[in-house]
Amino acid sequence: MELHESVTHKNGRQRKPVLSTDDMRNQEAKSSDMDTEEEESLLWTEENNTKTRKGIKEELGSVLLLLFLYILQGIPLGLAGSIPLIMQSKNVSYKDQAYFSFVFWPFSLKLLWAPLVDAIYFQKFGRRKSWMVPTQYLLGIFMLYLSVTVESLLESDEHKGPDVITLTAVFFLLAFLAATQDIAVDGWALTMLSRENVGYASTCNSVGQTAGYFLGNVLFLALESADFCNKYLRFEPQDKGIVTLSDFLFFWGIVFLVSTTLVAILKKENSQQQLKKKYREETQGVMETYKLLFSIVKMPTVFTFCSLLLTAKMGFSAADAVTGLKLVEAGVPKAQLALLAVPMVPLQILLPLIISKYTAGPRPLDVFYKAFPFRLLIGLEYALLVWWTPSVKQEEGFPVYYYAVVLMSYALHQVALYSMYVATMAFHAKVSDPVIGGTYMTLLNTVTNLGGNWPSTLALWLVDPLTSKECQGAAGLTCGSPEDAGLCLKEGGTCVTVLDGYYVESVVCVVIGLIWWLLLGKRLRRLQEESPQAWHCKSSK
């Protein structure tokens, strides 16, 4: 079950535009300048004269290194995605879950400090290694620190729950470092590989982040679950899983430190070939980049589009952010929920390929518009699934047909989600000014991701205030606060949920989503009719 939009193209696993496409578009735009074109021609001719065209086998080591770096990037993201499930099994409040959801924001905000990463570096050490090496060292150090303290931070008893504030701060820092490493590795990919092989960078990005998230989330939750290990991996049952969170963090902390040291020593960034390409890697100054971003946002069409992107996902927030936690609360094992992502991998690979056939034309947002109400209805179906779950629970767990229903619901959700995602990315590529394609696309992607994060945080925050409970068995007492609930239990009463805020949110979100679709959806579609000049930034010409 999808827990947070960062898990696929959201946030989490925050996806970026294809790197090779941006690089080629920027080169095509630069070709209008004859002096630059002549310089590139001379450099490229010299390179061809001294070295034959490279095949992928000659750069297999660089491709594997990129893949490994992206896998490392996905590990802390996967771990961050597993913590809400662990906390939910310890009965933390949804307000605490809302606090922790800020952990997923750095990948949606990295554009704010990306120009600094691109402009400030040590020339002798390497432009990208200047940031990648220290960030990965810090990731390893913080993982080692967490391996010692995380169990105490997650401990809970009748008087005190997990230390959510500290957990949020530490994992937010991990996500921030991973996002910074992502900026550096994305830039390095363009110069680490030759021109004819640079297209493999986006494949390494997609496969690596997905694999890293799988290791840090699905594999960890499975191996950490005593029930899963006893059922599938052991002959004699034990009280704990094969690995603990501390063990997992310690192992990957060591991997980060050792691998970063090897990369820092053995992988040279400033090779002769890369120096020849230096002019292609030159970027604008920090202030110029920020001014350019501001000038893009001020354009009427872009401002309207960004406003729509920031509000479009309000209708999906309850389904995307709360459903998985509610299923865990209802008794569904978190390891089983995580494993549902495994059969979805082939679907997630095929869906973009299939959907892209319908978004390749001049009106990609038509697909977005048509998938919108379908995804809203799936949100209501999710609410029915949560309501149905307690009634099918058995002493030995949940029947197979229940997981089949959950899997089918998840698959339908993925179809709607990817339809909207691919349509949005296609429109971004269609309207981005070719002269500043990379910056333009990154800005639009950032706004898209942020439009999914803030409604999810708000949805988690509002679950508890919208929930109504009463104390049964103890006259005159209520369950309006944790203190009141504790007093009710002390007096022999029981707190019973009269109205679950999740169901209230589910209905309200669908209503908001329908209103958005009817009033603003057509406005979004009309943006496709704007001329290309309406999207071009004057300062880029």
Side-chain angles (χ1 to χ4, degrees):
M1 181 61 59
E2 190 163 15
L3 303 175
H4 192 277
E5 200 158 351
S6 63
V7 173
T8 53
H9 297 290
K10 328 165 195 143
N11 138 7
R13 287 182 335 216
Q14 303 298 326
R15 294 296 182 232
K16 298 158 287 301
V18 178
L19 296 174
S20 58
T21 301
D22 285 347
D23 188 47
M24 288 187 293
R25 293 182 65 172
N26 284 329
Q27 296 309 311
E28 291 170 1
K30 290 177 182 178
S31 66
S32 60
D33 188 317
M34 294 303 296
D35 293 335
T36 303
E37 184 178 22
E38 291 174 2
E39 182 181 357
E40 180 179 10
S41 177
L42 289 173
L43 293 177
W44 184 240
T45 301
E46 181 183 351
E47 185 177 327
N48 277 340
N49 290 336
T50 57
K51 201 165 190 177
T52 59
R53 182 180 177 86
K54 284 192 174 183
I56 183 60
K57 291 184 179 179
E58 295 183 44
E59 294 191 312
L60 184 59
S62 295
V63 171
L64 292 177
L65 175 59
L66 281 177
L67 180 63
F68 179 70
L69 292 175
Y70 282 120
I71 289 175
L72 290 182
Q73 184 185 122
I75 297 296
L77 300 179
L79 285 171
S82 68
I83 296 299
L85 293 177
I86 296 176
M87 292 196 302
Q88 193 66 18
S89 64
K90 298 178 180 295
N91 299 316
V92 301
S93 67
Y94 283 92
K95 183 178 180 180
D96 288 335
Q97 293 283 12
Y99 279 128
F100 192 82
S101 70
F102 283 106
V103 166
F104 302 102
W105 283 52
F107 267 78
S108 297
L109 300 173
K110 63 182 180 179
L111 184 64
L112 297 178
W113 66 92
L116 297 174
V117 176
D118 200 49
I120 302 173
Y121 56 93
F122 296 103
Q123 181 68 43
K124 291 184 178 180
F125 188 56
R127 181 176 189 174
R128 309 305 176 181
K129 287 170 63 177
S130 295
W131 287 91
M132 191 211 71
V133 170
T135 53
Q136 289 195 174
Y137 271 132
L138 288 173
L139 280 165
I141 291 171
F142 273 101
M143 284 185 172
L144 293 179
Y145 162 75
L146 273 176
S147 69
V148 178
T149 61
V150 71
E151 296 294 347
S152 62
L153 294 176
L154 283 169
E155 282 182 359
S156 62
D157 52 42
E158 59 182 7
H159 303 293
K160 181 182 178 182
D163 189 349
V164 177
I165 300 300
T166 303
L167 283 169
T168 302
V170 175
F171 276 93
F172 181 91
L173 184 56
L174 284 176
F176 173 81
L177 291 171
T180 304
Q181 186 254 27
D182 180 47
I183 298 168
V185 175
D186 282 349
W188 197 4
L190 295 178
T191 56
M192 185 185 296
L193 301 178
S194 61
R195 177 185 299 204
E196 59 267 26
N197 291 326
V198 75
Y200 288 100
S202 60
T203 303
C204 294
N205 183 335
S206 177
V207 175
Q209 280 192 358
T210 302
Y213 191 93
F214 180 88
L215 293 173
N217 186 273
V218 178
L219 181 64
F220 162 69
L221 288 174
L223 297 180
E224 186 265 350
S225 170
D227 292 337
F228 179 86
C229 293
N230 292 337
K231 187 175 181 179
Y232 298 106
L233 303 177
R234 286 178 174 148
F235 294 106
E236 296 184 4
Q238 298 183 21
D239 296 334
K240 293 184 178 182
I242 293 177
V243 300
T244 64
L245 182 55
S246 294
D247 296 334
F248 200 81
L249 284 165
F250 181 81
F251 171 79
W252 283 106
I254 295 298
V255 170
F256 266 87
L257 295 179
V258 173
S259 61
T260 303
T261 301
L262 293 176
V263 171
I265 296 174
L266 301 178
K267 184 64 176 178
K268 302 300 181 183
E269 182 175 346
N270 293 327
S271 66
Q272 184 65 25
Q273 178 182 350
Q274 290 160 345
L275 288 174
K276 290 178 181 178
K277 295 180 181 179
K278 180 181 177 182
Y279 93 95
R280 291 207 304 267
E281 197 185 8
E282 291 300 330
T283 59
Q284 303 178 76
V286 176
M287 292 308 299
E288 287 77 7
T289 302
Y290 285 121
K291 289 178 181 179
L292 178 58
L293 290 172
F294 184 67
S295 66
I296 295 173
V297 174
K298 286 196 303 180
M299 296 162 56
T301 50
V302 175
F303 183 81
T304 301
F305 186 48
C306 289
S307 299
L308 293 173
L309 289 176
L310 286 173
T311 56
K313 296 178 183 177
M314 292 188 296
F316 316 128
S317 56
D320 290 352
V322 189
T323 300
L325 301 178
K326 277 295 178 182
L327 291 178
V328 173
E329 184 181 322
V332 182
K334 56 183 182 296
Q336 297 290 347
L337 281 180
L339 287 172
L340 290 178
V342 177
M344 288 295 103
V345 172
L347 182 65
Q348 292 170 344
I349 294 174
L350 292 174
L351 277 176
L353 299 176
I354 297 172
I355 297 168
S356 61
K357 297 180 181 179
Y358 302 95
T359 59
R363 300 183 63 85
L365 292 182
D366 287 353
V367 176
F368 181 99
Y369 183 80
K370 293 175 181 177
F372 196 97
F374 179 64
R375 188 172 171 185
L376 288 176
L377 290 176
I378 294 175
L380 287 179
E381 191 271 335
Y382 270 13
L384 290 174
L385 179 64
V386 172
W387 174 79
W388 178 57
T389 296
S391 64
V392 296
K393 185 178 181 181
Q394 303 172 356
E395 290 185 4
E396 62 275 12
F398 290 87
V400 175
Y401 71 84
Y402 170 78
Y403 288 111
V405 172
V406 175
L407 187 62
M408 182 60 66
S409 301
Y410 186 22
L412 292 174
H413 181 267
Q414 290 293 289
V415 172
L417 184 151
Y418 272 81
S419 296
M420 297 177 63
Y421 169 77
V422 174
T424 304
M425 293 300 103
F427 188 69
H428 290 178
K430 177 177 178 288
V431 302
S432 293
D433 190 339
V435 178
I436 49 173
T439 303
Y440 209 121
M441 288 273 284
T442 305
L443 172 64
L444 295 180
N445 291 342
T446 298
V447 174
T448 301
N449 293 328
L450 187 59
N453 278 339
W454 78 261
S456 295
T457 298
L458 183 62
L460 289 167
W461 192 283
L462 292 176
V463 171
D464 286 335
L466 293 174
T467 298
S468 177
K469 295 182 179 181
E470 64 179 23
C471 180
Q472 295 182 356
L477 298 179
T478 64
C479 296
S481 67
E483 293 76 15
D484 293 338
L487 184 60
C488 173
L489 295 175
K490 185 177 180 180
E491 295 298 324
T494 304
C495 286
V496 178
T497 300
V498 179
L499 181 63
D500 195 323
Y502 168 69
Y503 301 117
V504 177
E505 277 192 4
S506 296
V507 175
V508 171
C509 283
V510 170
V511 171
I512 292 175
L514 284 174
I515 294 174
W516 189 97
W517 183 63
L518 294 172
L519 299 182
L520 300 178
K522 294 180 180 179
R523 178 76 180 100
L524 183 70
R525 294 179 72 184
R526 285 197 297 270
L527 288 175
Q528 299 174 116
E529 301 169 3
E530 297 285 349
S531 65
Q533 290 72 25
W535 299 92
H536 289 180
C537 181
K538 293 181 180 180
S539 62
S540 70
K541 297 179 180 179

